[in-house]
Amino acid sequence: MTDGDISTGDNILIVGAGIIGLSLGLRLQLAGRQVTIVDRDAPASGTSYGNAGYLAEGNIFPPASPDMLKKLPALMFDRQGPLVVKPHYLPTLIGWGLKVLASSRSSRQAEIISALSALNRRAINSYAPLLKAAEAEHLFSDRGSLVLCRTAHMLAQKRASMSALRAHGISVEELSREDILALEPGVAPDIAGGLFYPNNVHCLNPGALGQKFADAIRRNGGDIRRARVEHIEPTSDGWQVKTQTGTLSSGQLVVCAGWWSSDLLKPLGYKAPLASERGYHLMLPHPLVTLSRPVVMAEHYFAATPMEEGLRLAGTAEFANPDAPMDNRRSDILHALARPYLPGLQNKDAARWMGVRPSFPDALPAIGVAHRHKGLFYSFGHQHVGLTQGAISAELLASTINTGTPPAELTAMALSRFD
């Protein structure tokens, strides 16, 4: 990148080169717009690289349900459980936790589920034009996904959710032990049963997908610059983005910087109460267990996804400072937790990874138009479903930018809900 002030003219400037920003950039290009993307890191090298890789339209239930809150104390003290809160992060998490409690009211839960399902029903199909433009169709596999239950109690819980899923347009089927073993012979023969989501797909290489999107943006005349963004500020005719190597200016600006979006927007008066919910994965290049689709381990709620480089175990939540050292144990326990579901699973030459999920207390992302400033837009805070919602978020926000009218689906995603 050349030092100094750089004007992008009538281009749209996007801060953030994760799957959210890249999907938006490509979608805007398909609508005839010019884009410049700036990020401190290489495209799709953060959470967009290390996610579980499966697009799940059924992820419509916010984690902070009343039932989950009752289990919270036990979960927090289970070192091998799906949730860990680091002691140093507890003071930071108090205010966020109070907002979680507020969002757990039954009436608010119903609103959140309705809003998430409105996105997720269209999420997977929204990728079609982006995959075609990026020549990346081969990176998606449409074999559905499974949720495995080891106990009859857990299976009953999952069965109870099916009516709500179907009421919101999500396709789901209950499968017996025999049905699941017919689909995935590598699964343990003593499972109780599970659910099958026929419309879900998975990505064979999330990092490569992001790179394909970046390559397509550059190929179509877009610009992707690597620089740390220090702050953003309005000007008389648009926006300036100050980086450590110079200044970018544009008439329209979109903040898609994940966890760091809050720091950029706070000086402008916008409240974005994000928590640093860190996720881990364990990549197994020689798993000795073959799967043809993602399987979610219901009791511990993490996934095993077959990818080009092996089998990826991904999930769990660790609330900690985003720059705190990675806890390798959080990756390693995934292998131990997966073996009862996948007997014979090996972890030779396993690779560990950690990334920061930007999580709002109500489990909804922030997507829309900044209500205090002209020409400022945002899309971030997608929590566990950034890959799932990347393309639909891009479709809806691109429509907003191009027409000036936000679609109805974005009403619930406005940042003003935190004012």
Side-chain angles (χ1 to χ4, degrees):
M1 176 177 174
T2 304
D3 290 347
D5 292 355
I6 300 171
S7 174
T8 61
D10 294 329
N11 288 6
I12 297 172
L13 183 56
I14 299 171
V15 179
I19 194 62
I20 302 299
L22 292 169
S23 296
L24 177 62
L26 189 51
R27 187 83 198 195
L28 286 167
Q29 281 190 329
L30 293 177
R33 305 298 297 269
Q34 292 294 312
V35 299
T36 296
I37 300 176
V38 58
D39 196 305
R40 67 175 190 171
D41 297 317
S45 60
T47 308
S48 299
Y49 161 82
N51 57 67
Y54 79 99
L55 289 76
E57 65 176 15
N59 279 352
I60 64 172
F61 303 116
S65 65
D67 287 343
M68 178 60 74
L69 291 175
K70 292 176 184 177
K71 301 174 184 176
L72 189 58
L75 290 171
M76 288 176 59
F77 290 101
D78 181 359
R79 293 189 176 183
Q80 290 194 323
L83 172 64
V84 166
V85 180
K86 294 295 186 179
H88 67 258
Y89 200 63
L90 273 172
T92 304
L93 206 58
I94 291 173
W96 186 86
L98 293 174
K99 292 181 175 64
V100 170
L101 287 173
S103 70
S104 68
R105 302 188 315 269
S106 58
S107 59
R108 181 59 179 145
Q109 289 272 300
E111 293 172 349
I112 294 168
I113 291 169
S114 179
L116 287 173
S117 61
L119 291 186
N120 286 9
R121 284 194 302 267
R122 297 169 51 193
I124 294 172
N125 289 339
S126 293
Y127 268 100
L130 305 185
L131 295 175
K132 182 177 180 181
E135 301 176 356
E137 287 120 323
H138 65 285
L139 290 176
F140 272 26
S141 175
D142 58 353
R143 296 186 176 184
S145 69
L146 287 168
V147 176
L148 303 183
C149 302
R150 297 198 69 233
T151 67
H153 176 71
M154 180 56 71
L155 181 58
Q157 287 186 9
K158 294 301 179 183
R159 183 185 299 122
S161 70
M162 292 174 63
S163 59
L165 288 163
R166 289 169 174 165
H168 286 89
I170 309 301
S171 296
V172 60
E173 307 166 12
E174 181 178 349
L175 296 187
S176 67
R177 175 192 299 115
E178 292 75 21
D179 293 333
I180 291 174
L181 291 172
L183 289 175
E184 299 292 352
V187 168
D190 61 348
I191 60 168
L195 302 186
F196 178 58
Y197 291 86
N199 294 337
N200 286 351
V201 305
H202 70 279
C203 180
L204 300 175
N205 191 327
L209 177 70
Q211 191 57 58
K212 281 281 191 180
F213 281 13
D215 291 344
I217 290 168
R218 293 188 180 104
R219 191 166 59 244
N220 295 333
D223 193 7
I224 299 179
R225 300 177 179 273
R226 188 167 179 179
R228 181 186 295 274
V229 174
E230 297 174 343
H231 68 272
I232 61 176
E233 59 186 45
T235 64
S236 59
D237 58 352
W239 289 86
Q240 283 190 340
V241 174
K242 301 285 188 178
T243 78
Q244 87 279 15
T245 58
T247 301
L248 296 167
S249 62
S250 178
Q252 294 178 304
L253 174 66
V254 190
V255 176
C256 301
W259 160 257
W260 294 272
S261 299
S262 179
D263 291 340
L264 294 176
L265 292 169
K266 185 176 181 179
L268 299 174
Y270 296 97
K271 296 179 181 178
L274 292 173
S276 168
E277 184 186 352
R278 310 197 315 175
Y280 286 79
H281 87 215
L282 189 70
M283 196 73 195
L284 307 178
H286 314 292
L288 299 185
V289 171
T290 300
L291 296 176
S292 58
R293 56 184 57 79
V295 299
V296 174
M297 323 301 172
E299 281 77 9
H300 297 285
Y301 205 76
F302 68 97
T305 305
M307 296 186 178
E308 289 180 337
E309 298 175 345
L311 189 67
R312 178 173 293 180
L313 307 180
T316 76
E318 178 192 66
F319 289 93
N321 289 335
D323 56 354
M326 176 180 174
D327 184 352
N328 287 337
R329 295 171 299 179
R330 297 298 295 163
S331 289
D332 291 337
I333 64 172
L334 292 171
H335 175 249
L337 294 174
R339 291 197 68 180
Y341 301 86
L342 304 172
L345 186 68
Q346 298 297 307
N347 61 349
K348 181 182 178 182
D349 300 324
R352 307 175 184 91
W353 174 92
M354 182 276 294
V356 180
R357 302 187 191 100
S359 297
F360 281 111
D362 59 5
L364 295 173
I367 312 169
V369 184
H371 56 287
R372 294 191 180 93
H373 294 85
K374 181 180 179 181
L376 179 62
F377 307 86
Y378 52 82
S379 183
F380 62 94
H382 292 74
Q383 201 172 31
H384 295 253
V385 289
L387 181 62
T388 298
Q389 295 177 353
I392 186 60
S393 297
E395 179 182 327
L396 296 172
L397 189 54
S399 174
T400 303
I401 293 169
N402 290 328
T403 68
T405 303
E409 293 94 328
L410 295 189
T411 301
M413 314 298 167
L415 266 180
S416 57
R417 70 188 190 266
F418 297 113
D419 287 349

